[in-house]
Amino acid sequence: MKIRDAADADLPSIVAIYNDAVRTRRSTAQLDPVTVEERRNWIREHSPDRPFWVAEIDDEVAGWLTIKPFIPRCAYQGTVELSVYVSEKFRRRGVARALLQEAIARARSLGVSAMVGLIFAHNEASLKLFEQLGFKRWGLLPGVAQIEGAERDLAILGRRV
Ligand SMILES: CC(C)(COP(=O)(O)OP(=O)(O)OC[C@H]1O[C@@H](n2cnc3c(N)ncnc32)[C@H](O)[C@@H]1OP(=O)(O)O)[C@@H](O)C(=O)NCCC(=O)NCCS
C-alpha cells in the first residue's frame, strides 16, 4: 500500500468512494451524492500542512483521508478534524488504520496538537477504528442530525498528539 498526496486525477475515485458511504446514511451528514464537478476544488482546498491523502493499492485508490481545520478560528489552529473513507472493495485490509497511523505519525511535523473525528454514534465500524488508534470519546452531541426522520447522535472522538 502506498500513501501519497491526492491529485485532481484521483477525484473520480475519491468521489465514488464517498458516494458509496453517503448512501449508507451512516458515515456523513451529506445525504445526496456529490459530483466530481461540484468537488473539483476539493483537493486544492487542502494545503501541505492540512493534506488530502490517498492510499493506493495496485494503482487503484483504495481509500483516502483528509486533515482539515476543526474550526477555522485562531485558537483552534492546532486542532484538526480527520475523515477517512475506504472503498468497499478494499475494506478490512488495514487501509483506514494505515491512513490514520500516518496522520498520527506526521501530526507534529504538520503542527497538529489534537485530532478529532466527528462520527455518528451509529457508525460502529468507524468508532471501533478510531478507538483502536487511541482516540477517546470526548463528547456526544445528542440528536443533532436528522436522517430520514430519525434524530442521530454525533460522537466526538479525540486524541492529543
Ligand atoms: C470505517 C472504515 C473507514 C474502515 O476502513 P477499513 O480500511 O475497512 O478499516 P481497517 O481494515 O483499517 O480496520 C481497522 C479496525 O477498524 C475496525 N473496523 C473496521 N471495519 C469494521 C467493521 N465493519 N465492523 C467493526 N469494526 C470495524 C476494527 O477494529 C478494525 O480492526 P480489526 O480488523 O483488527 O478488527 C470503512 O468501513 C469506511 O470507509 N466506512 C465508510 C466511511 C466512514 O464511515 N468513515 C468514517 C467517518 S470519518
Side-chain angles (χ1 to χ4, degrees):
M1 186 189 321
K2 182 175 152 194
I3 294 177
R4 60 166 175 80
D5 286 326
D8 281 349
D10 301 316
L11 262 179
S13 306
I14 288 168
V15 163
I17 292 170
Y18 187 58
N19 282 340
D20 283 342
V22 167
R23 280 181 209 102
T24 68
R25 305 284 191 251
R26 217 167 250 282
S27 306
T28 167
Q30 174 75 35
L31 300 178
D32 299 317
V34 301
T35 64
V36 171
E37 179 54 22
E38 275 164 27
R39 295 291 173 128
R40 63 184 181 282
N41 293 322
W42 205 356
I43 292 162
R44 268 171 260 155
E45 281 160 7
H46 285 260
S47 58
D49 62 342
R50 294 295 177 265
F52 195 138
W53 295 329
V54 293
E56 202 177 67
I57 296 176
D58 298 336
D59 295 327
E60 244 185 275
V61 174
W64 53 265
L65 175 138
T66 58
I67 300 182
K68 61 181 183 234
F70 166 57
I71 292 175
R73 289 266 192 276
C74 293
Y76 295 120
Q77 64 187 4
T79 300
V80 293
E81 181 194 342
L82 303 182
S83 300
V84 60
Y85 287 78
V86 172
S87 158
E88 287 170 6
K89 178 176 166 191
F90 291 101
R91 293 222 180 133
R92 296 314 285 264
R93 288 171 57 174
V95 174
R97 185 188 299 123
L99 283 162
L100 283 175
Q101 281 172 337
E102 184 79 4
I104 292 164
R106 287 172 57 180
R108 273 184 196 279
S109 64
L110 297 173
V112 169
S113 53
M115 299 178 287
V116 299
L118 304 180
I119 300 168
F120 285 140
H122 61 294
N123 187 350
E124 283 159 26
S126 190
L127 292 174
K128 273 202 183 150
L129 166 73
F130 275 72
E131 280 162 5
Q132 205 183 64
L133 272 296
F135 286 73
K136 305 277 184 227
R137 197 175 277 229
W138 281 358
L140 185 82
L141 307 181
V144 293
Q146 285 172 11
I147 303 178
E148 290 172 348
E151 290 191 341
R152 296 296 197 170
D153 300 344
L154 183 69
I156 303 172
L157 277 281
R159 188 189 197 281
R160 294 205 61 81
V161 177

